[in-house]
Amino acid sequence: MADTSSKPDHFEVRVLRQDGPQASSYWERHRVRYEPDMNVISVLQRIASQSQTVDGKEVSPVAWECNCLEEVCGACTMVVNGRVRQACTALVDRLMAEQESDIELQPMSKFPVQRDLVVERRRMFRGLEKSKAWVTVDTYGPMGAGPRISQTEQENNYPLSQCMSCGCCLEACPQYTKVELVQGDSESDDAFAERQDSTFDGEFVGAHAISQVMLFNGHPIAKNDANERLDSLMAPGGIQVCGNAQNCVAVCPKEIPLTTSIARAGRATTVRAITKFFG
Ligand code: SF4
Ligand code: SF4
Ligand code: FES
């Protein structure tokens, strides 16, 4: 239980709101009564139940996403006091101790905003699709015991398997820049999705997809598609775009060794390029 003796009765929360994908953003201030052991999700729930700004103006509830509430799904990722992180594990007591100020919430800046703190992360999942980040099986019938995986392989792969596609590494990456397309009036949803995907395919795929390539290329069954994955990293928007700034590894909430994955992927794509050159 937190020590509440030095805590204020209320604190202020500034939220960067946006009413829709094409609308302009604006700041809104809310006053929330302090309670011990709050996280940013519970703060947003109080704001939704008040539906009133600090000036007493009636407003619609702030939109946000969450699922697991235990830093596993990544849905609640947003920028809290200038740092990209999960709202469910951003504890108010700790934020106050770190900064001694009020709380500021913004959506991630690298993805198009759908509404308030909810962003469209299609590009991130397209990156996984492009990199074939899965294990291909050719039957649903029983196949007996799977191949044995050595202790070393398990130790290498387990950290990479913890990725929850939250987007923190992409938000922090200077090479990953925002791509926002507008759906045409007469453009169907399917046609728009296809146009988005073909645009995303030429843009930087980012650290999380590179790391997933190394995870699946280290899997005894998924490694059958290893060359295809490496080819995807050698295509436009692939590993060559990485500037090695290492921001990604610093913000990953799962402490995934992203720069190690990037270095391994760099070596593997070099070997692949030489092999292809010599036929
Ligand atoms: S190391 Fe590469 S992927 Fe990571 S932040 Fe830097 S440029 Fe982005
Ligand atoms: S690598 Fe880390 S920061 Fe990037 S999406 Fe996965 S869990 Fe999030
Ligand atoms: S709600 Fe799943 S990570 Fe926060």
Side-chain angles (χ1 to χ4, degrees), residues 43-74:
V43 169
L44 285 163
Q45 286 169 332
R46 302 296 183 279
I47 290 175
S49 65
Q50 293 170 183
S51 293
Q52 211 176 57
T53 66
V54 74
D55 311 314
K57 186 178 150 205
E58 298 278 329
V59 289
S60 60
V62 175
W64 81 93
E65 285 185 302
C66 67
N67 280 309
C68 68
L69 298 180
E70 53 183 358
E71 207 178 76
V72 170
C73 73

Side-chain angles (χ1 to χ4, degrees), residues 15-81:
V15 187
L16 188 62
R17 299 199 63 176
Q18 189 171 321
D19 298 341
Q22 302 311 317
S24 305
S25 58
Y26 58 94
W27 285 100
E28 197 172 84
R29 288 161 56 225
H30 293 264
R31 193 171 142 83
V32 176
R33 192 162 60 82
Y34 172 81
E35 291 166 41
D37 305 320
M38 294 175 103
N39 62 8
V40 166
I41 297 292
S42 51
V43 169
L44 285 163
Q45 286 169 332
R46 302 296 183 279
I47 290 175
S49 65
Q50 293 170 183
S51 293
Q52 211 176 57
T53 66
V54 74
D55 311 314
K57 186 178 150 205
E58 298 278 329
V59 289
S60 60
V62 175
W64 81 93
E65 285 185 302
C66 67
N67 280 309
C68 68
L69 298 180
E70 53 183 358
E71 207 178 76
V72 170
C73 73
C76 67
T77 306
M78 60 183 72
V79 179
V80 180
N81 286 359

